Amino acid sequence: MTQTTATRAVRPIRAAAAREGGATAGSRRWWGLAVLGLSQLIVLLDGTVVNIALPSAQADLGIGDGARQWVITSYALAFGGLLLLGGRIADLVGRKRVFLTGVAGFGIASAVAGAANGAGMLFAGRALQGAFAALLVPAAMSLLTTTFTDPRERARAFGIFGAIAGAGAALGLLVGGIVTEYLDWRWCMYIAVPVEVLVLVGAVPLLHDPGERTGGRLDVTGAVLGTAGLAAIVYGFGEAESRGWDDPLVLGLPAGGAVLLALFVLWQSRTAHPLLPLRVVRDRRRAGAFLTAGLAPVAMFGLFLFMTYYLQVILGYSAVRTGLAFLPLTASMITSSTQIGARLAGVVAPRLVVVPGLLVAAAGMVVLAQAGTEASYTTRVLPGLILTGMGMGATMMTVMATATAGVDPRDAGVTSAMVSTAQQVGGAVGTSVLNTVAAGAAAEWLAGHGGRGSGAAARAEAAVHGFSTALWGVAGLLVVTAVIAAALLGNGPGRGRRTDR
């Protein structure tokens, strides 16, 4: 047999092997997506599962009313404040390595929080959860960005990932209700441990980091300025409910945080190894995606805050029934993210998905804002939840895909961290503001109704009035966000501009 004949004979075998190898690699990518999605699910679930468990934990550990907020705030401060740093560490050290570290650390921190024998240990465990989540989340998103490079596959992957992200918070309420009612509040913390072990077992063989790492140094000055600035803003607004808006701490901390963030931007423009390379945010479409990612989640944070209380206290639902009541929201978010957002991503301009999505979510908020003290779940609450879920599912999936499209592999981690930072900080600040608005509106209602304010029925009316006022505000914010998205997200399909240009 001549060499030419032998070569011809081998070609079909090589082609078949290549096809088989490609199919195997493709299957591994999608199984890797399942691992990444599960890690994201448990982090987001853990952010809300504690809400329903908080009263039991407070009673068990003897936590005072003034200190109970730290069960939530310690997690939010560590998570939101360290996300940018976690994203940059992922770019410098390696995304898979940082992801595995974050997963293992989050599991250990969850065990510490579950085993807490006092308030301090619980607060420390929650803060550690937030810190390791700040490593895990941007590393997971950047692995997703660098793994799925084909536009259509990438759209599908982000659709699934976005649906999981949206479902995590709602499922947290359901799981929290079931665990708290039938087991113990500590299992709301322990539940993360076996899940993270499963993620570790799957991540080692299934995840691959194709991105090249840079040889730069970690920007310590930028990390201090950025983290301190974000933490000051989140903490300052978090104190508004208990201290009031005229308190020096509430006024001073956000102002000081804004100054620190301005110094952070100035430093990033001058240092040789920036924590957040400004090329990442110079693109108009990407900047619009970051801004939308920060404003839109206020709706979801506000909805969970108010509707959980409304269903349990006003309508008298049990913890489990409250969790079940949120399932239509979860289903509509998953449907919208995978069947609308994922199918249209990369085909039409992002604003053609985001703007209608925000307006539909605003309509859902308007419906919920009109629920009274004796509203029917089927005719009033359910339609509002479905509309909000449909709008937010398509919006957030498209925003995540747009923000990370065209990013150079060396910037994948920090870009993903910016999306998560915007969501976390925007949601935390928005929740604090909305809670204060609702409390103020309720107090005004009681003051304006004189003697009626002493009865349980009057207090319920006042609370619902406060919720309604805040939800009308959320609807207005979503409309404003839609205008911003229409102006910044551009006309062409959302493929993004590379950050290395």
Side-chain angles (χ1 to χ4, degrees):
M1 182 181 293
T2 65
Q3 183 177 2
T4 302
T5 303
T7 302
R8 290 175 179 171
V10 169
R11 280 177 183 168
I13 300 175
R14 289 178 175 172
R19 286 193 298 270
E20 183 179 351
T24 301
S27 176
R28 180 178 297 176
R29 285 201 306 274
W30 292 105
W31 279 109
L33 172 62
V35 170
L36 295 174
L38 185 59
S39 70
Q40 182 82 352
L41 176 66
I42 197 64
V43 168
L44 293 172
L45 184 149
D46 207 79
T48 56
V49 72
V50 74
N51 289 329
I52 294 179
L54 181 55
S56 299
Q58 181 182 356
D60 189 21
L61 299 180
I63 303 173
D65 289 344
R68 65 185 176 188
Q69 64 165 324
W70 282 102
V71 177
I72 298 172
T73 305
S74 58
Y75 180 88
L77 280 175
F79 190 20
L82 296 173
L83 268 167
L84 271 180
L85 180 62
R88 204 57 188 162
I89 291 174
D91 288 332
L92 294 174
V93 177
R95 299 176 241 316
K96 182 175 179 179
R97 184 179 301 174
V98 171
F99 176 77
L100 295 175
T101 302
V103 169
F106 192 89
I108 293 171
S110 299
V112 171
N117 56 12
M121 187 174 176
L122 178 59
F123 299 158
R126 291 286 289 166
L128 281 174
Q129 281 184 313
F132 282 109
L135 290 177
L136 188 161
V137 170
M141 285 190 65
S142 58
L143 282 169
L144 184 65
T145 301
T146 55
T147 299
F148 293 92
T149 55
D150 177 77
R152 292 192 176 277
E153 279 196 348
R154 194 167 176 276
R156 288 179 58 200
F158 267 97
I160 296 170
F161 195 78
I164 292 171
L171 288 176
L173 297 172
L174 175 60
V175 173
I178 294 173
V179 171
T180 301
E181 190 160 327
Y182 296 111
L183 294 174
D184 184 78
W185 70 267
R186 295 180 184 276
W187 282 99
C188 290
M189 303 289 104
Y190 289 144
I191 195 172
V193 178
V195 175
E196 297 296 32
V197 171
L198 181 63
V199 170
L200 282 174
V201 171
V204 173
L206 293 174
L207 296 182
H208 174 61
D209 182 5
E212 295 181 0
R213 296 196 294 272
T214 62
R217 298 190 303 271
L218 189 64
D219 177 17
V220 178
T221 302
V224 172
L225 290 172
T227 301
L230 291 174
I233 291 173
V234 173
Y235 179 63
F237 280 110
E239 291 291 296
E241 181 191 5
S242 58
R243 295 174 177 268
W245 287 106
D246 57 349
D247 185 84
L249 186 70
V250 175
L251 294 173
L253 279 177
V259 171
L260 289 173
L261 291 182
L263 293 174
F264 169 78
V265 173
L266 179 63
W267 174 256
Q268 297 308 286
S269 67
R270 299 191 176 190
T271 184
H273 303 285
L275 181 65
L276 174 62
L278 296 185
R279 61 179 175 268
V280 170
V281 296
R282 284 196 184 105
D283 178 58
R284 175 179 171 180
R285 176 175 290 180
R286 187 171 291 113
F290 289 147
L291 190 56
T292 305
L295 293 174
V298 174
M300 296 305 299
F301 277 73
L303 184 148
F304 288 132
L305 175 67
F306 299 132
M307 294 309 297
T308 300
Y309 187 94
Y310 176 79
L311 292 171
Q312 288 193 27
V313 177
I314 305 301
L315 298 186
Y317 284 20
S318 68
V320 174
R321 191 180 178 189
T322 298
L324 291 172
F326 277 106
L327 287 183
L329 173 71
T330 303
S332 62
M333 289 189 72
I334 293 174
T335 301
S336 177
S337 180
T338 57
Q339 301 305 312
I340 298 176
R343 290 178 182 275
L344 295 179
V347 178
V348 302
R351 70 177 182 178
L352 296 180
V353 180
V354 172
V355 173
L358 290 169
L359 295 179
V360 169
M365 289 294 169
V366 170
V367 173
L368 292 172
Q370 299 180 68
T373 55
E374 297 180 358
S376 166
Y377 174 82
T378 304
T379 60
R380 180 65 68 183
V381 177
L382 180 61
L385 292 178
I386 292 176
L387 284 172
T388 303
M390 291 294 291
M392 293 303 297
T395 295
M396 295 313 298
M397 177 269 144
T398 305
V399 165
M400 285 193 294
T402 302
T404 56
V407 175
D408 189 82
R410 60 180 172 158
D411 295 327
V414 72
T415 304
S416 302
M418 269 298 298
V419 178
S420 299
T421 298
Q423 292 174 320
Q424 186 69 20
V425 174
V429 171
T431 300
S432 300
V433 173
L434 290 174
N435 204 29
T436 303
V437 168
E444 289 181 6
W445 190 94
L446 287 173
H449 287 75
R452 289 181 58 192
S454 59
R459 290 194 297 273
E461 287 280 2
V464 171
H465 175 73
F467 298 161
S468 176
T469 302
L471 291 176
W472 275 108
V474 171
L477 177 64
L478 288 174
V479 172
V480 171
T481 307
V483 173
I484 295 172
L488 297 180
L489 292 184
N491 294 317
R495 303 187 189 280
R497 186 182 69 180
R498 288 188 66 89
T499 57
D500 57 347
R501 295 181 182 177

